[in-house]
Amino acid sequence: MIEGAGPELRPPVQELVWDERTRLWRAPAHAYREVVLALRDRGLICPDKARAYDPLPLALAKPITPREHQVKALQAWVAAGRRGVVQLPTGAGKTFLALLAIVQTGRPVLVIVPTIDLLHQWTDVLTTHLGMPIGTLGGGSRDIQRLTVATFDSAALQIERLGNQFGLLVVDECHHLPAPQYQVIALGSIAPFRLGLSATVERADGKETEIFRLLGPLAYEGRIDQMVETVLSPYDVVSIQVPLTEDEERRYQEARGVYTTFIRQHRINFSSGRGWMEFVHLAGRAAGGREAMRAYREQKKLAQASTAKLAELWRILGEHSGDRIIIFTDDNAMAYRIGQDFVLPVLTHQTRLAERKRMLEAFRSGELQTIVTSKVLNEGVDVPDARVGVVISGSGAVREHVQRLGRILRHRPGKRAVLYELVSQGTSELYVNQRRKRHHAYQGAAEIQH
Amino acid sequence: MLTKELLKFSIRSGRIRPAFVPEEGDILERARGLIDLFRQAEGQSLGELEELLDETCGTGDVEAGLRKLLLDRCGAEEDDGSVMERRWQALAAAQALRLGEPGLDEASFRGRLAATLGRGFVELKEDLYADLPACRRIKGFRELSAVSLLQRYNCAQVQGLLLRARSVHVRLAQASLAERRELFRQLKFHRLIAEVTRDEGEGRALVVELGGPLSLFDSAATYGMRLANFFPHVLNLPRWEVEAEVHIKNKTVTLKLDQKSGLKSHYRHQTPFVPDELLAFVEAFNTRQAGVWQASPGTEFVHLGRESYCFPDITIRDQKKRKIHIELFHRWHAGTLRGRIQTLEKIGFSELRLGVSKNLAKTAELKMLLEESAWFARFGFIFSEFPTPKLIFGVLDRE
């Protein structure tokens, strides 16, 4: 709010709105920096009662030597006015980059993360390297310190009270931010300095523009293909096509027929970007829509969970006995099916926190050598030494594949990672697989077709 | 509350109309059937119940909404951790077997593992993740009647839209003094920002404009949730109209409803209450001060700038219609009192008198706060059980 100026004031900040009820100018918290700068430019001196923090001198208690790409990324972010997004592949040291930005900026910081696992990881890193108390908000904890790590969900609920206490907002895995329930975090924070981190900012719905609006522009982009050997482990992508059984093939064709007929009848165009939404909309209303939706699910399930895929998975597990392996599926049902059939640990959003922690510790220590997951390990969770990834099924989204790839690329001398992709022959999975390979993330790999 | 995909409505000419269901006929029968299934579900797993519902009930949109409301009323068993312990034993044994004999085929692996653990493989497999949410046993269901379920469904259709509202305009006619006070109490409880006026029409209905600081810029989920939770209180009033601007499907549309929509509140309709001592005070005060001051129970909001506002307990007018509001703080109001004193210190509002009960004023922290407040020294007072007319009269002329 700006006190002492009537409606005749037309400040040059677009987001200032005159509130007739209280007869005050108002701006959303995220416009704080623009408002302060604009008032200063116009020579209007207002006591600043919005900001409830002071500069905070910080120093590294445990020094780190930044790598070249981290130095460049930091310089680019500083040059952008300490507002912006840095895109780096998983394993390229985004957390350390943020640590350097936090120390250089010297303001109380609120770090936002999507999961409890990441909350613990960030807290550990900040505690170790800054040697001061780190607050946590989320997973049952509410300890607010000048350096605080919060989950998206908890921050969204509390930002109303915390928004003015931090000068730097760091949003890890910031591609989640455009979700309406999370935007409020960036909108409700006055932090003049903002850093977004992600392995892939690009979103299928094009809403990365929202991220740039809320956090600042894309300041630096580091690509997987340019970092292989130096920052990330070299790797192979092995695509294995497996056949459907006769029965699976018949059911697949039947279901596929129902689905594609409906698509053709209603002229749904999937290349427009809105095709899927149009299909969902029509499936709920048009004649034959429900059958088409059922058929779509059936053909997808058959392609993703074919008998031959499970047999191939068993072979891969035998071949890589002794390696640390992550198996990725598209949904929880398939993850649990594999877990039950092969007696493997399954980590999903349904896994309770304590067990999830135990499972990840066991995986790190080698007590467990294989983990099956649907989406949980797609991003963020620090799994240092996995060498083998097996993609049983997934969406067509490039982000998901880049993130999955990132799980196995953490650099270790002498390590060569391998990502297996199991694709059902003669199904739409093949097209999805080929389409995502156009992304530059795949250009750094040796590709082997089976 | 219903999720977005369970909201049913039509949009025409910029107006959104929720698709309410009747509380009778076929849908009532279907609601009864659903409740029967839930009533008998105790002991089943949530997954089994879902399967049973898929098989026996329609898959229509209304059923999906009713199922969601009923599932929210189910309690599920907490597992004792024994499944997890067995799981970790099995995982350790399976890994040891894989590492020890990497060439085993699937069938041999299963046989050897079952033998090691002393259980059949099928049993082992079924038990491995038996503690998943879908596998958890239902241990209770909060009963409700079929009519009540349909009423909740209809109300939830509106609440779901209000979650996406940018502004809400509520017009209340014929609300008694006690009903208005109750509504204000609920507004305050739900932390909603409101502007209350009276319209010029017949009966001078009360008009409540709801919208918060963030609603000026964007719809905020937390605010929407408060708004949605507040809405059933409006339904308890005799005559109401709600007009909301709702942002949905990339459009901004208008939702208009009134008491004729037949919506029923599932919040208990507590008989609105005006304390006896307040009524006794008003009567005694008006008898003593007849012709000079006129007291009445407080019925309006008083803006204190920014987002602050108060609902005075008593409003006193003189012959020139000058108003003095009295707000009373009892011993359970410590938090609100702290905030109120801070606000009044800043804005120096002189049309309010603030009474603090002795019990509250004697706590060490508040005692210091009140002693240090210049505003309270001028406009505040301490009372015992309830202020006397004499005490109030003594503070009216302070400036």
Side-chain angles (χ1 to χ4, degrees), chain A residues 120-437:
Chain A
H120 294 309
Q121 281 172 34
W122 271 89
T123 309
D124 290 346
V125 170
L126 294 178
T127 307
T128 307
H129 289 274
L130 295 174
M132 59 192 294
I134 305 299
T136 50
L137 177 62
S141 162
R142 194 187 184 284
D143 172 26
I144 308 300
Q145 301 284 342
R146 286 181 296 176
L147 277 76
T148 295
V149 186
T151 60
F152 272 88
D153 288 321
S154 296
L157 290 173
Q158 300 286 335
I159 198 70
E160 218 178 310
R161 295 176 189 85
L162 301 177
N164 65 344
Q165 296 181 30
F166 301 94
L168 171 60
L169 180 69
V170 176
V171 184
D172 193 13
E173 309 292 357
C174 65
H175 45 269
H176 294 289
L177 196 61
Q181 70 271 31
Y182 294 149
Q183 283 194 26
V184 70
I185 300 168
L187 289 169
S189 164
I190 69 164
F193 307 120
R194 292 164 184 237
L195 170 62
L197 300 167
S198 176
T200 38
V201 187
E202 184 189 335
R203 288 173 54 110
D205 60 6
K207 284 195 175 167
E208 56 272 18
T209 51
E210 284 296 298
I211 302 172
F212 302 145
R213 179 176 75 87
L214 296 167
L215 299 179
L218 183 64
Y220 184 82
E221 181 186 1
R223 291 168 42 154
I224 288 185
D225 55 338
Q226 294 163 347
M227 293 188 172
V228 166
E229 305 281 355
T230 53
V231 179
L232 304 172
S233 287
Y235 64 101
D236 301 318
V237 174
V238 182
S239 290
I240 302 175
Q241 290 192 33
V242 294
L244 296 178
T245 63
E246 229 171 84
D247 181 51
E248 285 169 345
E249 171 74 22
R250 183 186 52 76
R251 285 160 55 207
Y252 177 84
Q253 293 303 344
E254 230 171 75
R256 185 86 187 157
V258 173
Y259 165 61
T260 50
T261 305
F262 183 83
I263 298 293
R264 272 197 301 274
Q265 268 174 359
H266 294 276
R267 295 181 182 169
I268 299 170
N269 178 8
F270 279 90
S271 58
S272 72
R274 288 194 48 80
W276 173 248
M277 288 313 294
E278 207 182 329
F279 172 57
V280 172
H281 177 77
L282 282 167
R285 283 162 180 77
R290 282 179 196 283
E291 290 71 27
M293 181 56 90
R294 211 173 297 131
Y296 164 77
R297 289 205 185 105
E298 171 77 358
Q299 54 94 36
K300 188 175 167 193
K301 196 172 147 193
L302 283 163
Q304 290 188 340
S306 67
T307 314
K309 275 193 183 177
L310 294 184
E312 187 60 31
L313 175 62
W314 182 257
R315 189 196 64 74
I316 293 169
L317 289 177
E319 188 180 322
H320 288 281
S321 173
D323 277 331
R324 224 152 288 176
I325 305 170
I326 305 177
I327 299 164
F328 297 101
T329 68
D330 191 41
D331 57 20
N332 290 349
M334 187 60 184
Y336 283 110
R337 186 178 154 192
I338 291 171
Q340 285 179 317
D341 280 357
F342 299 157
V343 192
L344 289 169
V346 181
L347 206 159
T348 69
H349 290 292
Q350 293 182 15
T351 311
R352 288 189 193 146
L353 190 60
E355 191 175 14
R356 179 190 293 197
K357 214 171 169 183
R358 181 175 170 186
M359 228 175 240
L360 284 168
E361 280 306 318
F363 191 62
R364 283 194 187 103
S365 69
E367 185 190 339
L368 292 175
Q369 295 207 310
T370 306
I371 273 191
V372 189
T373 182
S374 50
K375 307 271 183 190
V376 156
L377 294 188
N378 273 6
E379 65 184 25
V381 181
D382 186 15
V383 188
D385 255 345
R387 193 180 86 79
V388 180
V390 185
V391 178
I392 299 288
S393 53
S395 69
V398 167
R399 168 179 305 116
E400 182 175 274
H401 279 264
V402 171
Q403 284 167 337
R404 287 177 167 185
L405 191 58
R407 302 287 91 224
I408 59 168
L409 293 189
R410 203 168 286 274
H411 194 264
R412 184 162 45 94
K415 174 178 160 185
R416 185 167 191 95
V418 54
L419 182 75
Y420 289 97
E421 296 181 316
L422 306 188
V423 181
S424 289
Q425 255 171 25
T427 71
S428 58
E429 275 199 330
L430 201 57
Y431 305 112
V432 173
N433 179 266
Q434 284 166 354
R435 197 174 64 222
R436 67 175 173 254
K437 285 204 175 121

Side-chain angles (χ1 to χ4, degrees), chain B residues 107-119:
Chain B
S108 311
F109 168 79
R110 288 175 179 184
R112 298 281 291 277
L113 184 65
T116 308
L117 294 168
R119 304 156 73 190

Side-chain angles (χ1 to χ4, degrees), chain B residues 186-200:
Chain B
Q186 292 302 338
L187 279 171
K188 196 170 179 179
F189 175 75
H190 290 285
R191 294 170 55 213
L192 294 167
I193 308 294
E195 184 161 355
V196 183
T197 52
R198 283 186 178 279
D199 71 9
E200 295 303 317

Side-chain angles (χ1 to χ4, degrees), chain B residues 32-76:
Chain B
R32 279 201 184 109
L34 271 172
I35 292 171
D36 283 343
L37 287 174
F38 275 82
R39 200 176 281 138
Q40 293 155 26
E42 192 152 346
Q44 289 179 16
S45 71
L46 285 165
E48 283 167 349
L49 174 63
E50 294 264 20
E51 267 176 38
L52 184 67
L53 290 166
D54 287 344
E55 283 166 17
T56 52
C57 305
T59 50
D61 297 330
V62 176
E63 270 91 348
L66 297 177
R67 276 170 64 163
K68 163 76 170 61
L69 295 177
L70 290 171
L71 277 169
D72 288 346
R73 302 177 71 81
C74 287

